Amino acid sequence: MKVVVLVPSQESLATAGVRIRYLRLREPLAEAGVSLTVMPIDRFDPLNADCDIAIVSKCYDARALVAAAVADGRKISVGVDLFDDYFSDERDSRLCRYRTWLRQMLRISRFAICSTRSMAQIIEGYRGDLPVHILNDPAPAIDRSELADVLERKISGSRSSSVLRVSWFGIGDNPFFPVGINDLAAFGGALRALTSEGIAIELAILTNKRALDQSGLAMIAQLPLPAKIDLWTSQREAQLLMHTDVCFLPVNAQPFSVSKSMNRALTALSAGCQVLSVGYPLYESLDELIYRDPSSLLADWRRGEPRLRASSIAILEAKIEQLASAHQEAANLATFLESRWKTRISGTSSGPIALLHGFTTTQAAHAAVKAGGGLSIATPFCSQELDFDGIVRLPVGGEPSLLLSTDALRRVRGPGRRSKGAQRLAGKKFRAFEPSAVNDEDPATVRPLPVQIALYEPMIERLSALLSEQLGVATVLLSEESALPVEPMI
Amino acid sequence: VNLLLKALRGLESKASEYRLRKRRRRSLALLAQCKLFDRGWYLQTYPDVRDSNVDPIAHYLESGWREGRDPGPDFSTAAYLKGNSDVAALGINPLLHYIEHGRFEGRGAPHVGAPFRASFSPDKRFGPAAPCASFTAPPLRPVRWARAGRIRAKEELLASIEDVSVAHFGNDRDKLSFENALEQLAWVSGQNPTAPEMLQISGGIGLELRDAWNSGTGILRTRWLPAERPIVIRSIQHHGRGAALVGEGCIADRLDVLDIRPLSPLYPLLFVFTTADGQFLGFRQLTFPALCRGGLYYPELIALARADNPTAAVDLARMDGQLSSRLFSIRTTAAPTVAEVTVTLEAADGSHPLFQAEYRQWLANIMCVSVKAAVEGTGPIQKYLAAAVKLDASTPRRGAATLRLANDMVPSISALVMSSEGCATDDLAGSLIVASSDRNIAIWIRIADGTPAAEFGGYSSALPALLLNGRAGGLPTEALLLAIRMPARRPLDDAELLFPRLPRVEETALDRPSITWLLRPDRWSEPELMHCLEALAEQTSSASATIFIGEPGEVTACVAEQLFGTVRVAPTTREATKLIETSLAGYIGSNIILHDRRTASLLVEALDDDTITVTAPVVSIKKGAKRSLALPDGGTAFAHLLPHAVVPIAEPSRDFWIARAEMVRELYERPTRMMGRHLCSMHVSVSRLSGTKTEPDSKFPARSKQCSSITEALIG
């Protein structure tokens, strides 16, 4: 079975996420007879792709929707892998674009993969009948004797020097949510509780450069003790963890954070670090090995018996086996994908795909739908000039009109397929549907933006219904890259 | 020529030697005057230097620092070089660098044994700032003072904290005074159940606390008005494990500061004043160190001090003293107003102080107040948050009211120490302060007449409120400062201004009230009026009619008829009100667009019997290469101060409101302010077309340019 994971770009291939989530599984999947390829979506040709299963990962744009719809028509089983929650908080108007994308993606998908139970519940909220598989982030294998040595060295070293080396590591910011450095600052009082016990604390912070802006540095300055800061790289992370006694991992309770995997805690434990996690109990399945409050940590440390010690490595191994074993995760995934592949079916309707272009769209999405034989249709809100197959006009106070090029007209069918007379726009011959005089001089984009926002959702919903009910379009998709808070239900 | 060149080279060499000698003399003088160089300590610490009969200053200057030796106990050569890699790279004497440059650049002088702190330069190195002037600092008055633990006296005359001597007494009265102060500190810190007979904030001789600020990395820096003689101050905190010494220093000069590293930034501090050799002089208690600059409660200090006397300097000690007296009162004799705190968990993420152990410990032990979630949650996050916020005080309070807060607030100290002396009989909305992220700027939203905040659709108000616990009386009637709202951790996005955070409301879930829209064509351009009608037609409410006040254009009338069916024209507003046949009416002044389909339905939800009009904040979309939103007038409050709230406003919005039809008629029959209230719902917004605004909305005053620290009386 050939599986392709589609990621947003060439650069994505080098990210820690791809390395941890997919590349660690490649070998064990191969042993189970599954070949796994990770490729940028730009290089994926759904009409000619040699694969059985395609998994869309982090490609939150219309290219993925089109690729999925086209591939589905070729009996390639398409699924989506979700591990960041940009979808559950329906009150958040900044994320309308993501919710609209997911609603469409799940409509096309034959299955979904996700990182945690919370993410699975989110998917169920969108589409309850979709098979969902929870794929835990695999953790690297640990060497028992080496880890025992590391623990012995760290515990005896820190006790003899009375210096506790505490680290915080990870992505320090997010474009939408206050996480990372914000959490460190908000929960930093717990670090004061460590210093209160008369122990010298050396705090180190390893994070990305973008998080270290003026506000990030100000928050770090408000921590109760000085910190040494460095920029994150995977090598530096490994180096830091090698010299860290305690990893401080605060977690807030916003949906984005509580849907995260246990990757950070497992990484820290595997490197021989004690974990102090305050806030939301994200790592509660590791409770035997981690600390929820500083006083327990200090008490155990004074006794020389912290929760992660040579005698508890077996527990860690069992936890990794249960929650993050690459072999186990690969075997489970292979079984799941095989079942999806065996029960695969292609799209039921034989009509074309139509991609509606909203406020902001991309040439790539337009090219993808054209290449897939679909219709590329500009809504009244689209100001970009592309070689569209269809254009919608909305005169002020009048009825909307859909104009299809004569070429596109040949590809649609249904009761609505009747010509209203040809006219030439942008050098192309179009025919109008819906009764209205078409005036090329009054596209909707001449309207003020608030008016466009008010009209957007009903217009897209009506257009979608028209295309599928009147013109036999199999799948109507929307390309919307704008950050405007519009969320049509299509 | 050769001879001349040789002579020149000789001269140059001599000039260079002269410069070096001059520089050396100057360096020796600087080190000799510097109190960080302790000649005695140096000789005692390094016996090889003592035995070699070398001048210690010259030794340190020439070779000592290169060998990693320290010039005195208060300066670590190694830590300074490790913490300042740019200095280390230059290969210059670290103490000289500190004297000449470092201290003016904000670099610390690490004492011996201090862990080093690396200067931050992830990808860019900044050179040292060039001094604009170079001069020898005047010699400071050398002060010899005994550190804690080195104070010597007979055991019965010694005061000790954690087995470390902190003072000695000249008489029994002083000793008793100190012991009482220490017991009072334990009591106020919740560590000693026996209350003192009376509160004594200070006693004996002491210095005046002028300022205190959180200088980062857990340090509280204090500045004092010096006396004629040097005074040593030691700071004690009682936190869990008994009293602990958390800072000491000598104040001999106006520039001297005392650094304290509190075990808790909230727990009371006791300052003990002694002579340089440790003889007890007096004490002073700072009950609320969080009132200091950068502290959690600093905005409250500013607000209270300015309310007292807007022009006077903020007096930390005096305000702390007043609040301390009230705390003493409610913990001993008087009944407090606030019985417990309830917290609404809407949009909570559990990162605010009410969820943090350090703050909760203070609430439980010092304020003795219980906290619980306003509504028990059902989902795992809500359950976690409800459990995380729940706090049981060891002794329940006897108060009359529940203080309701949003989860991003903390109760004000004033509210928590307020005694029950008033006679209000109804629930009461209070004022709040919205703090900036660094807590040094605060906006005070003062609810002058205590008008209750409107409840709306099950969502909590963003205003704190006192809710009577089924009992009459017990609430003061004056305006109350009830809470500080912690900073939003980011500014609102444009998308959030257009569509405020609100659960998506399905059309079927909303009532579809019939509304008659009143419009004035003379205040619109015809195309824009038609745009307004287009947007109105998409409202989930059903518009049964449109009434134009004045004649619309022919095309507009045609469009309106097509969109709404019924169109009527009235010559005047008064006449128009008589034509309204539906139970609800909406007025849309010039250039307002309802960009959200839910607007009318949501605003109608907020209309109740006591409400005349309800409106929404206005956002303006600026045109240009990059689209952006502006928030004139009330938008400021909407975006930054009171999101997700319905608040009373002084008068109807000039350009947009919805009201019940009979109220509309009343409004025009009696143009003066009617009995009843006007509301602004921050749950939804409307747009104003750009470039057409002629005068500000009247509902909110603009923020004062002169004073960004406090803007009072948003609501008249």
Side-chain angles (χ1 to χ4, degrees), chain A residues 89 91 93-94 176 178 182 186-187 189 192 196 209 212 217 221 223-226 229 231 252-254 258 279-281 396-397 447-451 453-455 457-458 461-462 483-485 487 489, chain B residues 117 120 122-123 216-218 241 261-263 265 346-347 349-351 356 358 381 384-385 489-490 493 495-496 498-499 501-504 530-531 534-535 538 559 562 593-595 597 621 627 687 689:
Chain A
D89 189 356
R91 298 165 301 183
S93 50
R94 298 167 304 160
F176 296 110
N182 276 278
F187 293 90
R192 198 190 317 265
S196 311
K209 186 177 172 185
L212 296 170
L217 290 170
L223 288 173
L225 64 168
I229 308 167
L231 295 182
N252 73 52
Q254 62 192 335
V258 306
Y280 187 81
V396 175
R447 289 174 170 82
L449 185 63
V451 183
I453 294 172
L455 302 181
E457 290 177 6
E461 287 162 15
R462 284 171 207 161
L484 287 168
E487 193 177 353
M489 290 292 152
Chain B
R117 181 188 180 194
F120 169 64
D123 62 348
T217 63
R241 295 169 301 147
R261 189 176 279 282
L263 301 173
E346 169 71 12
D349 69 4
S351 66
Q356 303 299 329
E358 203 167 50
I381 295 178
Y384 158 74
L385 290 169
R489 290 193 279 169
R490 56 173 182 79
D493 193 87
E496 293 164 289
L498 288 165
F499 281 59
R501 191 181 178 87
L502 186 71
R504 186 180 175 84
M530 285 195 289
H531 292 323
E534 278 189 299
E538 296 299 346
V559 167
Q562 193 174 336
I593 301 291
L594 273 57
H595 60 249
R597 283 199 274 176
I621 300 181
R627 192 169 50 221
S687 290
L689 299 181

Side-chain angles (χ1 to χ4, degrees), chain A residues 234-298:
Chain A
S234 57
Q235 292 81 7
R236 282 184 193 151
E237 180 184 301
Q239 191 73 20
L240 178 71
L241 294 181
M242 201 186 297
H243 297 100
T244 291
D245 300 308
V246 179
C247 277
F248 182 55
L249 302 180
V251 183
N252 73 52
Q254 62 192 335
F256 178 81
S257 300
V258 306
S259 300
K260 285 282 179 191
S261 75
M262 278 184 292
N263 180 41
R264 286 174 79 208
L266 284 172
T267 302
L269 291 168
S270 301
C273 307
Q274 309 300 323
V275 169
L276 171 61
S277 180
V278 294
Y280 187 81
L282 178 67
Y283 307 119
E284 66 181 343
S285 48
L286 298 169
D287 267 356
E288 287 170 85
L289 297 168
I290 68 171
Y291 291 92
R292 298 279 299 147
D293 72 286
S295 54
S296 317
L297 168 62
L298 285 173

Side-chain angles (χ1 to χ4, degrees), chain A residues 396-409:
Chain A
V396 175
E399 288 290 308
S401 301
L402 167 63
L403 294 98
L404 282 184
S405 69
T406 47
D407 173 51
L409 198 62

Side-chain angles (χ1 to χ4, degrees), chain B residues 156-321:
Chain B
E156 63 271 21
L157 295 176
L158 268 179
S160 299
I161 299 293
E162 291 181 314
D163 297 329
V164 177
S165 310
V166 292
H168 63 82
F169 305 107
N171 54 57
D172 288 345
R173 197 192 60 213
D174 282 353
K175 187 178 181 187
L176 188 64
S177 168
F178 173 78
E179 285 170 355
N180 285 344
L182 213 54
E183 277 180 21
Q184 179 178 286
L185 180 73
W187 172 78
V188 78
S189 303
Q191 308 297 323
N192 177 2
T194 314
E197 285 179 10
M198 57 176 286
L199 181 74
Q200 201 178 357
I201 287 292
S202 61
I205 301 165
L207 296 183
E208 186 185 331
L209 179 61
R210 301 307 300 266
D211 196 3
W213 61 99
N214 291 275
S215 62
T217 63
I219 289 177
L220 179 68
R221 180 160 286 181
T222 56
R223 193 164 66 79
W224 304 78
L225 187 64
E228 285 182 359
R229 56 177 170 165
I231 301 286
V232 174
I233 307 175
R234 295 191 174 82
S235 180
I236 297 163
Q237 198 171 47
H238 215 299
H239 185 250
R241 295 169 301 147
L245 186 64
V246 291
E248 64 174 346
C250 180
I251 303 296
D253 188 271
R254 282 176 180 274
L255 296 179
D256 290 340
V257 291
L258 167 65
D259 279 354
I260 300 158
R261 189 176 279 282
L263 301 173
S264 160
L266 294 147
Y267 268 55
L269 291 165
L270 180 68
F271 297 106
V272 178
F273 305 102
T274 72
T275 60
D277 69 351
Q279 180 167 358
F280 178 81
L281 294 173
F283 69 89
R284 165 161 200 100
Q285 181 178 295
L286 183 66
T287 312
F288 300 106
L291 289 169
C292 301
R293 279 195 280 151
L296 190 64
Y297 281 107
Y298 179 61
E300 183 174 354
L301 171 72
I302 299 292
L304 293 178
R306 291 273 154 78
D308 255 15
N309 185 349
T311 55
V314 175
D315 189 338
L316 166 66
R318 190 171 63 83
M319 295 311 303
D320 179 74

Side-chain angles (χ1 to χ4, degrees), chain B residues 532-575:
Chain B
C532 170
L533 293 172
E534 278 189 299
L536 271 185
E538 296 299 346
Q539 286 292 301
T540 50
S541 59
S542 55
S544 62
T546 307
I547 300 175
F548 290 108
I549 304 164
E551 282 294 336
E554 198 178 327
V555 182
T556 306
C558 186
V559 167
E561 196 164 334
Q562 193 174 336
L563 292 171
F564 301 103
T566 312
V567 175
R568 307 182 80 169
V569 177
T572 62
T573 308
R574 190 183 295 269
E575 291 300 315

